[in-house]
Amino acid sequence: MPSEPHESGHEIKISAPAETVYQLLARAEDWPRLFPPNIHVDHVERGAHEERIRIWATAGDTVKNWTSYRTLDPENLRIGFRQEVTAPPVAAMGGSWHIEALPSGESLVRLAHDYRATDAANLAWLDDVVDRNSRAELESLRTIAESGAAADELTCSFEDTVQIRGDARDVYDFIDRADRWTERLPHVRAVRLEEPVPGLQTLEMDTVAKDGTSHTTKSYRVGLPPHRIVYKQVTLPALLSLHTGRWTFAPDGDGVTASSQHTITVAPDAVARVLGADATVRDAIEYARTALSTNSLATLTLAKEYAERRAGGDGP
């Protein structure tokens, strides 16, 4: 039997205009950058003032996904939300964001939740998750809203693309089967892959950069076959504070356009430590971009060979 309804409220003061804060919250597709627990957000339906979104996010030590209905009210700086398809142990979840413009030019952000657990035994867990995630989301929102243009200068998005004369499903399979990457990809030394449910993976791997340095990273990956795999790194190289990405496989005539897209944010305090005292943020972005593009293109090239070999009937 579901638990009794519970309510919670959290708030934070942010030194940024209320409209700026509202826009950050309204752009749900950017939440993996904005909120640490968020891995990926897809729009299911989208209108001027109403939308349905599907969200993948960490909840404690697990990853959950759900579908939410949102109402957007830019005039009153309010966003309402209600989960339509929940993930146990959540039986019901809803709430609102409200941004108040203060006379000082600052903003007061209030985040309210109302929820029920699937049973009383899980209510304490849900209380803790709502509290921790709310605090983390508000603090991250404050950091990004207050950093403004400075945060934009630390962030870069880029994409590498390869044309493949093969089937998108074979290219998808090559990228999806990360458990075989130590056999298939020279720059991958070790892989630890968990897939508790189909399409949701925890991938930890050791990779070697072009300069010979080794990195251990951990990512959550969401598979959306046969055309997309999205991910967010949660254990990052020292130079980065954010890395999200996606692999896309779009049918194109008698082949497929395969792309690897990355969004990265440099950790400014790490630049001198990693690259030397004279290195700049721009140097760090170029260094990270080169390393990631090198590995992405190597992976896409090998995926191309795999898919084209299968298209010719020459391989497993």
Side-chain angles (χ1 to χ4, degrees):
M1 177 180 293
S3 69
E4 291 295 316
H6 267 225
E7 296 182 353
S8 73
H10 297 79
E11 64 179 43
I12 196 169
K13 187 182 290 185
I14 297 177
S15 297
E19 291 77 8
T20 298
V21 178
Y22 175 86
Q23 288 301 323
L24 287 171
L25 294 170
R27 294 194 297 267
E29 63 272 22
D30 291 340
W31 284 2
R33 176 187 171 191
L34 184 62
F35 296 138
N38 277 245
I39 300 166
H40 180 61
V41 177
D42 253 353
H43 278 93
V44 180
E45 298 175 9
R46 194 171 193 176
H49 298 289
E50 299 178 23
E51 63 184 14
R52 282 182 173 82
I53 57 176
R54 191 176 181 194
I55 304 168
W56 288 261
T58 56
D61 295 326
T62 63
V63 176
K64 303 289 185 181
N65 76 84
W66 62 89
T67 300
S68 286
Y69 168 75
R70 298 210 309 164
T71 55
L72 307 174
D73 184 355
E75 291 186 3
N76 295 301
L77 302 176
R78 185 184 294 271
I79 299 172
F81 58 88
R82 180 70 51 188
Q83 290 188 15
E84 294 185 325
V85 179
T86 59
V90 177
M93 175 73 72
S96 65
W97 295 89
H98 184 216
I99 304 95
E100 179 184 351
L102 301 177
S104 62
E106 298 171 300
S107 303
L108 181 63
V109 182
R110 297 186 178 91
L111 172 58
H113 285 93
D114 60 87
Y115 53 91
R116 290 184 296 135
T118 51
D119 53 63
N122 282 303
L123 184 57
W125 178 89
L126 187 53
D127 284 336
D128 181 62
V129 167
V130 170
D131 181 63
R132 283 191 289 113
N133 280 7
S134 296
R135 293 178 187 276
E137 289 175 355
L138 287 169
E139 184 58 34
S140 181
L141 177 66
R142 183 190 65 79
T143 299
I144 290 179
E146 291 183 353
S147 61
D152 292 339
E153 292 177 0
L154 298 172
T155 299
C156 175
S157 294
F158 55 94
E159 186 172 64
D160 299 296
T161 298
V162 169
Q163 297 297 131
I164 300 174
R165 296 181 65 85
D167 193 307
R169 290 170 294 185
D170 290 330
V171 189
Y172 180 97
D173 176 73
F174 188 94
I175 303 300
D176 180 61
R177 289 297 306 274
D179 56 323
R180 300 190 62 182
W181 280 4
T182 51
E183 310 163 20
R184 293 173 165 175
L185 304 179
H187 64 274
V188 177
R189 283 183 174 172
V191 169
R192 295 160 292 280
L193 181 70
E194 298 178 3
E195 190 167 10
V197 295
L200 182 60
Q201 298 177 345
T202 302
L203 171 62
E204 188 174 5
M205 62 180 180
D206 303 332
T207 60
V208 182
K210 191 176 181 179
D211 62 5
T213 58
S214 180
H215 305 279
T216 297
T217 59
K218 178 181 177 181
S219 301
Y220 290 116
R221 304 206 309 171
V222 177
L224 302 165
H227 300 308
R228 192 161 41 127
I229 295 171
V230 298
Y231 62 88
K232 181 177 184 178
Q233 281 192 354
V234 291
T235 301
L236 294 149
L239 199 57
L240 300 182
S241 61
L242 172 81
H243 179 200
T244 63
R246 65 175 181 267
W247 303 89
T248 55
F249 321 104
D252 183 9
D254 59 354
V256 56
T257 299
S259 298
S260 172
Q261 187 272 346
H262 301 271
T263 295
I264 58 171
T265 299
V266 166
D269 294 343
V271 174
R273 183 174 73 252
V274 176
L275 299 181
D278 295 331
T280 65
V281 167
R282 178 50 53 187
D283 294 331
I285 288 176
E286 289 304 315
Y287 177 90
R289 177 172 183 165
T290 298
L292 290 169
S293 283
T294 297
N295 287 350
S296 290
L297 283 170
T299 301
L300 288 171
T301 299
L302 290 166
K304 172 184 172 75
E305 294 175 3
Y306 171 82
E308 291 182 349
R309 187 168 62 247
R310 284 182 58 83
D314 296 329

